[in-house]
Amino acid sequence: MFGIFRKKEKIEHKEELQQDEIVTQKEPEETERNSFLSRALNKTVSNIKSIVPQRQEKIAFDTIEEILIESDMEYEIIEKAMDGLPELITKAQLRHRLVMLFEHAPVIDNANMPQPFVELIIGVNGAGKTTTIAKLANMYKKAGETVILGAGDTFRAAAIEQLSTWADKLDVPIIKTKHGHDPSAVAYDTIQSAISKKIDHAIIDTAGRLQTQTNLANELKKIVKTCNKAYEGAPHQKLMILDGTQGNTAIAQAKAFHDMVGIDGIIVTKLDGTAKGGALFSISNQLELPIFYIGIGEKADDLMEFSPDNFVDSLLDEIYT
């Protein structure tokens, strides 16, 4: 009888050890994620801590309002988040309201993705499109998936050169043409090449500026139609790259591109270079689009999947006990 109990104790002890191992295995990933977020939000957090230097259990309504204004959240969104909260606000109360601001964004199901999965990368020049394409390609490669790039911004010779350099660094194929040639042809050839070689991901760059907004809209619409001709249903995602240092002014850009071709999601870049991290609340809530990734720096690994929960916690953990 006692032998049975001892055996049971051994089994329970073994299970505890296994659970400890599982927790230990998760820790490096969590540490890496937290380290990335702390770098991304360093300036935003410094700004917040100048208002609330010491962590508190409850923070005054007016102080929270000031924090959100200083982090570049639009006042209309602040009113929505703060409506009905008490004079002294707990972490749980504020966390719930802030996470809720991201709930208007639709959930994108990437399960059973078609092959190739075609992504059209959209955004103004200087937002970080080329570097973000490289980061996406690197992320897919690390996951054991194959990638091909399409240098579709044929209106800028520098864009073709930069993407070619990244393709060489990452050892991924690229479809390109001469400066000034038809970008739709590049998109078509990229997708056809991906189909024939059974490549998992086709990532296609696009122009960010032409002589007029109308020219740009027409060019982007043409590329979208061409993608669908090359492979029915493509592009499967149209991703807008927004410069995080622009704060709320990036929303107007995103709306303009959304009206042109219909954006599916957002990637926010250069977040480490700004104290305007609060703009992410406004971007997602106003556009009703998901933020897929946030980027910092120029390295291929400097891209992280965006989590509203982790984002909010990273901000609130600095001011609440």
Side-chain angles (χ1 to χ4, degrees), residues 132-268:
T132 303
I133 289 169
K135 290 175 182 180
L136 285 169
N138 179 62
M139 183 182 69
Y140 295 143
K141 273 199 77 179
K142 282 193 161 186
E145 297 169 329
T146 50
V147 187
I148 187 169
L149 306 182
D153 186 357
T154 61
F155 300 98
R156 281 197 314 133
I160 300 170
E161 290 167 15
Q162 287 164 9
L163 204 58
S164 297
T165 301
W166 273 114
D168 290 341
K169 280 183 184 177
L170 297 171
D171 191 25
V172 296
I174 183 170
I175 302 295
K176 58 185 178 179
T177 187
K178 291 181 180 178
H179 173 231
H181 283 209
D182 183 11
S184 293
V186 174
Y188 188 91
D189 291 346
T190 304
I191 294 169
Q192 286 296 301
S193 182
I195 292 168
S196 65
K197 294 173 183 174
K198 294 182 168 56
I199 291 173
D200 298 313
H201 294 270
I203 311 174
I204 302 168
D205 192 13
T206 63
R209 187 180 65 200
L210 293 179
Q211 291 86 345
T212 69
Q213 195 84 333
T214 304
N215 286 358
L216 180 58
N218 290 339
E219 196 58 62
L220 289 174
K221 286 172 185 174
K222 183 182 173 186
I223 293 171
V224 170
K225 284 181 182 176
T226 303
C227 288
N228 191 55
K229 283 180 186 174
Y231 183 33
E232 191 174 350
H236 304 106
Q237 273 186 356
K238 297 182 286 291
L239 298 178
M240 175 85 193
I241 311 302
L242 289 182
D243 181 346
T245 62
Q246 297 293 311
N248 276 311
T249 59
I251 294 173
Q253 291 173 11
K255 282 180 176 175
F257 279 95
H258 195 34
D259 290 341
M260 289 178 200
V261 290
I263 304 300
D264 297 306
I266 304 286
I267 299 176
V268 181

Side-chain angles (χ1 to χ4, degrees), residues 40-55:
L41 297 172
N42 182 45
K43 290 190 177 181
T44 302
V45 166
S46 295
N47 208 21
I48 288 170
K49 289 183 81 170
S50 69
I51 300 167
V52 183
Q54 300 294 324
R55 288 185 175 93

